[in-house]
Amino acid sequence: MGEMTSEGANIGAGIDLSQFYQVFFEEAGENLDRMEAQLLEVDLEAADDEELNSIFRCAHSVKGGAATFGFADVAELTHQMETLLDKLRRHELAPTAPMVDVLLQAGDALRSLLARHQGSGGSVIDTIDLLVAIRAMCGGGAAPVPVARKIAESMQPAPAAPMATACAAASPEARELELRVGPLKDTKQADDLIALFKEITDLGLIEPIDGGQASDGMRRFKVVTTATDSDLIDLFTFHVAREQVQLLPMTAGYGFHAGAPGAPADEEAAATEVGYGFFEGAPGAPGANAAEAAPDAHASAASVATAAAPRAARTEKAAAALESTTLRVSVEKVDQLINLVGELVITQAMLAQNSKQIDTALYQQLVAGLADLDRNTRDLQESVMSIRMIPMSTVFSRFPRMLRDLATKLGKKVEFVTKGEATELDKGLVEKITDPLTHLVRNSCDHGIELPAERLAKGKPEHGTITLAASHQGGSILIEVRDDGKGLSRERLIAKARERGIDAPDSMTDADVWSLIFAPGFSTAEVVTDVSGRGVGMDVVKKNITALGGTVEIDSAEGYGMSVKVRLPLTLAIMDGMSVGVGDEVYILPLMSVIESFQVTPGLVKTIGGSGHVIEVRDEYMPVLDLEQVFQVPRFDFENAGGIIVVAEAEGGRVALRVDSLLGQQQIVVKNLESNYRRVDDISGATIMGDGRVALILDVGGLVRRSRH
């Protein structure tokens, strides 16, 4: 295979392959992710053939690309994986847990190797132990699951092991094979195979044995080569599907190709009847025995070809559909497009503002055009924003592997359930929410789920369940991490808080007690491990989610489990807002935070403690913040001062904001104030209004925290 790779590179010597590197790395990453997900779902007791075929195809795709671009270490490891997977899908070996473990380890090693080829650095990975383990498993032996070893950066990578292994035995002597290709819709495809074979020097000889006849869509060739079957199949599957290629030992009658001088007609006919009875690895059966076996064998070959045809057709159809419905675009181009749409939204708002001053009867067409522009701009904005929206399944897919390894390490049995994988979230948020969710899932496995014996003693099933669910609620997305473990202990949390000097009276509500775990350095773990217990995590989780404009809520029932709900805005780029007036200033409230608004009547706002103000809304008292005082807005109009209350909610709390007027609801383009100016307390960003003025977007969470103090 090493020779084929170098020669194969020579074929495209005139082409700069580096231009295709990025596409290869992206597709290889997708194939490895898909392979890992499918390996985790394999039923060892009754493995599905299609699942095994799909895993094999993933490894084969990575190997083919790696060989084409000359990444020999990647091609070598995937070659061994492919050989093991081929034996599994052919039912020559039965899948076992150690096999899945070693294939998962190999997938991790491949990611490291690809990262180094991509130039992102990292430790050099020594894959020798992995190769040895896979080879042993290919031979039917049991091998311990290795751990890919890292080599110091200063050292050179280990030399590549030879590609020929016990899994794919190669013979130094030339041998004769029969190659069958098909059924093919266009039999000229077979000519491409011949051209590819002949391009590689020292590979051997190939010639047709069917006289070019292909009425049944099959083509047959005689091959004389020293290459292994596996290497030949790898070569031929560059042009045709794997199911369409068969390699069989050449029988005596096929020493003559059709039309060759000196080939007796009866002998050729006998070869046609008898020769097809021999399959790869079948012992020779000369004379009457061979003739008796021929009809059944011929029928078997026909049935294999017939069964392969629909599979190949499905594969080609799926590939064609994928090519025609997807397009790779860089994130920078999408971000640039979103920025341009944002500017368009601002321009449209400016035109709408100015159009209010014109005579609608006189400029009917202009007004109608502006209305169409408003509608089309909103549709365009929604379409462009949807490009950045990606399904939560991209986040969820990384947890099954992590949980499997963690549960094994802790000696626990855990089932992972996901719901709402199709729920979409902005790409920027997905990248930032991954780490907090990872910590929450690890926390549930480590602190929540009990050991199997402990669960059985409590009357629970020994397998604990961790559920990760996502759903849309209004203008936000709700992500919930839930487990059926032991839950939080109120008494233990209060005791730990008092040990750390935190004020924790017995009268605290459950919600306040649960929120204690967000205190910096707070941990209920008795023993510090490499998994958790250092008190670093939950406070960072809340800080990161709050920075994204989100909230965290905890619910727990001791002995039954706990739930952590993370609520996030759908996107950070464009949002719906309510503009409010305070003096001559305009502020924006995120519409998702606004609960209600009403006019202030005399005696409605009450004073407490000399300077604090509260208001009663449906038997609930909430603090009142006067935005005029919070932001020290200069006052020139004293008639309409503070005449309206807007109730807003964030971080599980509510606050009543006192403003002068409600100006309306509109879409706003969020601009980062911190990167353009500096961080301002209680302000989360800014936007440009239709009249060109800058309006500040209020941080409702910050205002709620301010009201509590």
Side-chain angles (χ1 to χ4, degrees):
M1 187 65 190
E3 292 179 5
M4 287 174 62
T5 302
S6 59
E7 293 293 344
N10 291 335
I11 296 173
I15 304 174
D16 180 15
L17 294 179
S18 62
Q19 60 182 309
F20 305 115
Y21 280 2
Q22 189 57 38
V23 174
F24 163 69
F25 287 127
E26 289 177 4
E27 291 184 348
E30 291 170 3
N31 277 309
L32 289 175
D33 290 343
R34 193 179 306 119
M35 183 170 68
E36 180 177 287
Q38 291 171 340
L39 281 170
L40 292 171
E41 294 174 1
V42 166
D43 183 357
L44 298 178
E45 302 299 326
D48 181 61
D49 286 350
E50 187 51 42
E51 285 181 358
L52 295 175
N53 281 328
S54 180
I55 297 170
F56 174 86
R57 285 193 294 269
C58 291
H60 182 72
S61 297
V62 175
K63 188 187 79 168
T68 301
F69 293 114
F71 302 141
D73 48 359
V74 176
E76 179 184 6
L77 182 52
T78 44
H79 178 77
Q80 303 305 328
M81 295 169 66
E82 187 184 49
T83 307
L84 177 58
L85 289 165
D86 193 39
K87 287 182 176 290
L88 291 175
R89 68 179 189 149
R90 292 176 183 273
H91 303 292
E92 295 176 18
L93 293 174
T96 62
M99 286 182 183
V100 173
D101 290 338
V102 80
L103 288 170
L104 289 172
Q105 288 270 9
D108 294 340
L110 285 172
R111 285 191 178 89
S112 298
L113 294 174
L114 288 168
R116 287 191 62 80
H117 287 303
Q118 199 170 2
S120 58
S123 301
V124 180
I125 299 297
D126 181 2
T127 58
I128 292 177
D129 290 345
L130 277 171
L131 292 169
V132 171
I134 296 174
R135 290 169 189 165
M137 289 178 177
C138 286
V145 178
V147 176
R149 294 176 295 176
K150 293 182 179 179
I151 307 175
E153 285 293 336
S154 59
M155 297 178 63
Q156 294 296 323
M163 187 62 74
T165 69
C167 304
S171 171
E173 297 180 2
R175 56 206 180 102
E176 294 186 355
L177 299 171
E178 178 196 347
L179 167 65
R180 295 187 196 174
V181 185
L184 302 171
K185 292 181 181 177
D186 181 5
T187 54
K188 291 182 179 179
Q189 281 183 275
D191 297 330
D192 295 334
L193 294 182
I194 308 311
L196 181 61
F197 188 97
K198 291 180 178 178
E199 282 281 352
I200 303 175
T201 58
D202 302 327
L203 189 56
L205 301 173
I206 189 168
E207 59 179 358
I209 55 177
D210 56 5
Q213 300 300 318
S215 58
D216 58 354
M218 298 290 294
R219 291 296 305 273
R220 300 170 178 85
F221 302 90
K222 173 186 173 182
V223 178
V224 181
T225 182
T226 58
T228 65
D229 290 357
S230 178
D231 289 350
L232 291 173
I233 289 173
D234 290 338
L235 176 68
F236 295 139
T237 50
F238 271 106
H239 281 297
V240 298
R242 171 65 182 85
E243 295 83 355
Q244 293 177 294
V245 179
Q246 293 182 60
L247 283 175
L248 313 174
M250 179 62 68
T251 56
Y254 279 154
F256 303 94
H257 59 78
D266 57 340
E267 193 171 338
E268 188 176 344
T272 306
E273 292 296 324
V274 179
Y276 293 164
F278 295 94
F279 286 85
E280 188 174 355
N289 293 336
E292 290 172 8
D296 290 340
H298 200 138
S300 175
S303 66
V304 169
T306 306
R311 285 200 302 271
R314 285 198 302 270
T315 304
E316 290 174 7
K317 186 176 180 181
L322 188 64
E323 287 178 9
S324 62
T325 59
T326 59
L327 179 67
R328 289 185 184 274
V329 180
S330 68
V331 176
E332 290 78 10
K333 287 185 178 180
V334 176
D335 288 342
Q336 183 182 11
L337 185 60
I338 289 173
N339 288 334
L340 289 173
V341 170
E343 295 301 321
L344 183 62
V345 169
I346 293 171
T347 305
Q348 184 273 325
M350 180 187 69
L351 292 173
Q353 180 93 8
N354 293 332
S355 67
K356 293 178 182 177
Q357 303 169 7
I358 65 174
D359 186 346
T360 55
L362 194 58
Y363 298 99
Q364 287 184 359
Q365 284 187 312
L366 176 61
V367 172
L370 289 172
D372 288 342
L373 178 63
D374 184 11
R375 184 177 63 256
N376 292 336
T377 302
R378 180 175 285 269
D379 291 344
L380 177 63
Q381 176 257 316
E382 290 177 356
S383 298
V384 171
M385 290 308 300
S386 69
I387 296 175
R388 267 186 70 96
M389 305 297 275
I390 58 177
M392 287 299 296
S393 57
T394 57
V395 181
F396 289 1
S397 62
R398 66 187 65 196
F399 293 125
R401 171 70 189 283
M402 182 200 77
L403 264 181
R404 182 181 189 271
D405 295 345
L406 184 59
T408 302
K409 187 174 187 176
L410 298 173
K412 298 180 178 180
K413 296 183 179 180
V414 181
E415 291 182 2
F416 186 58
V417 179
T418 58
K419 297 179 181 177
E421 298 97 325
T423 306
E424 293 186 329
L425 185 63
D426 184 88
K427 182 181 185 297
L429 284 172
V430 163
E431 293 169 351
K432 294 173 182 175
I433 196 62
T434 301
D435 285 344
L437 285 183
T438 300
H439 186 85
L440 292 176
V441 172
R442 287 173 65 91
N443 213 47
S444 288
C445 185
D446 187 23
H447 293 298
I449 303 297
E450 309 95 333
L451 291 168
E454 188 180 344
R455 290 182 64 85
L456 290 173
K458 292 180 179 179
K460 294 182 176 181
E462 63 176 354
H463 280 81
T465 302
I466 296 178
T467 303
L468 192 54
S471 61
H472 282 149
Q473 288 192 358
S476 60
I477 185 172
L478 180 67
I479 306 170
E480 182 181 11
V481 180
R482 185 171 65 248
D483 67 68
D484 64 349
K486 54 192 172 187
L488 296 175
S489 169
R490 178 186 171 94
E491 291 74 16
R492 193 174 174 193
L493 284 172
I494 291 176
K496 278 283 183 180
R498 289 171 179 170
E499 283 178 21
R500 292 184 46 80
I502 300 173
D503 183 25
D506 291 333
S507 59
M508 291 177 71
T509 63
D510 284 347
D512 290 337
V513 173
W514 309 147
S515 64
L516 287 172
I517 67 173
F518 292 122
F522 193 92
S523 176
T524 58
E526 300 293 343
V527 180
V528 174
T529 68
D530 59 347
V531 177
S532 62
R534 300 184 186 276
V536 179
M538 291 302 284
D539 59 322
V540 177
V541 167
K542 184 167 186 180
K543 182 180 177 182
N544 290 346
I545 291 171
T546 303
L548 298 174
T551 61
V552 189
E553 303 168 19
I554 294 181
D555 193 14
S556 176
E558 189 172 358
Y560 295 95
M562 70 175 289
S563 163
V564 181
K565 293 179 180 177
V566 177
R567 202 179 301 271
L568 292 168
L570 285 179
T571 178
L572 297 177
I574 298 178
M575 64 183 234
D576 287 316
M578 175 179 284
S579 52
V580 297
V582 180
D584 289 339
E585 297 296 325
V586 176
Y587 296 96
I588 305 293
L589 280 166
L591 197 61
M592 59 175 287
S593 299
V594 176
I595 304 300
E596 60 181 322
S597 61
F598 49 84
Q599 287 189 321
V600 177
T601 56
L604 192 62
V605 178
K606 297 179 172 57
T607 303
I608 57 170
S611 59
H613 296 87
V614 296
I615 189 171
E616 184 181 4
V617 181
R618 282 183 288 279
D619 299 328
E620 178 187 354
Y621 283 95
M622 62 184 68
V624 176
L625 285 183
D626 193 334
L627 293 186
E628 177 186 348
Q629 296 177 6
V630 171
F631 298 113
Q632 300 178 0
V633 180
R635 169 69 62 187
F636 303 103
D637 175 17
F638 294 93
E639 293 183 6
N640 301 315
I644 293 178
I645 292 286
V646 179
V647 179
E649 180 180 50
E651 299 185 11
R654 292 187 177 186
V655 62
L657 303 175
R658 197 162 185 171
V659 301
D660 295 352
S661 58
L662 301 179
L663 302 179
Q665 174 187 339
Q666 64 193 88
Q667 275 196 319
I668 58 170
V669 179
V670 180
K671 301 290 185 182
N672 191 315
L673 189 64
E674 192 169 351
S675 61
N676 292 294
Y677 174 54
R678 64 177 175 82
R679 177 165 179 76
V680 179
D681 290 339
D682 304 321
I683 298 295
S684 62
T687 189
I688 301 173
M689 303 295 290
D691 56 5
R693 291 196 301 164
V694 173
L696 299 177
I697 303 170
L698 300 181
D699 177 10
V700 180
L703 293 171
V704 169
R705 291 193 296 274
R706 184 189 186 102
S707 69
R708 287 172 176 164
H709 296 296

